[in-house]
Amino acid sequence: TMRGADTAILLICPSGTRQYTEGWQPGFYYLAEKLKLPIVPASPDYNTKQVRLHEAIVPSGDIHADLALMAAFYAGMGPLIPERATPVRLAPETAEGELAAAPLL
């Protein structure tokens, strides 16, 4: 388990799938916010054949502002299969009311 661990890394794919979706699911953000963990956006860039890492983003509580930082990081990166690349935004079916009411831990 992660309880009592000195170091742990949790990798989550916010789109929740390997297929195209209209946006990211917010669970990764609220989990990081609740546990007071930084989010480190990372991705292989198939244009440059490099793995890119962003500096840690500490959730501010404003998911839209923090997603804008992540979107800027991912802009211009080459996905392996471009037609499956999910835009960095909240999935349309994720209503703000649902976000506020989502149970955490």
Side-chain angles (χ1 to χ4, degrees), residues 10-62:
L10 176 63
L11 174 65
I12 299 175
C13 298
S15 64
T17 181
R18 293 184 195 154
Q19 300 298 319
Y20 176 83
T21 61
E22 291 295 321
W24 288 8
Q25 298 300 316
F28 79 98
Y29 184 87
Y30 291 107
L31 183 64
E33 185 178 43
K34 179 74 172 180
L35 296 175
K36 298 177 177 36
L37 296 173
I39 298 167
V40 180
S43 181
D45 182 348
Y46 288 93
N47 289 339
T48 63
K49 308 292 188 229
Q50 296 177 336
V51 174
R52 293 177 49 192
L53 298 172
H54 190 282
E55 64 186 62
I57 297 171
V58 176
S60 68
D62 182 346

Side-chain angles (χ1 to χ4, degrees), residues 94-102:
T94 307
E96 289 295 329
E98 292 175 12
L99 294 179

Side-chain angles (χ1 to χ4, degrees), residues 1-9:
T1 70
M2 291 174 60
R3 292 187 194 273
D6 291 334
T7 303
I9 297 173

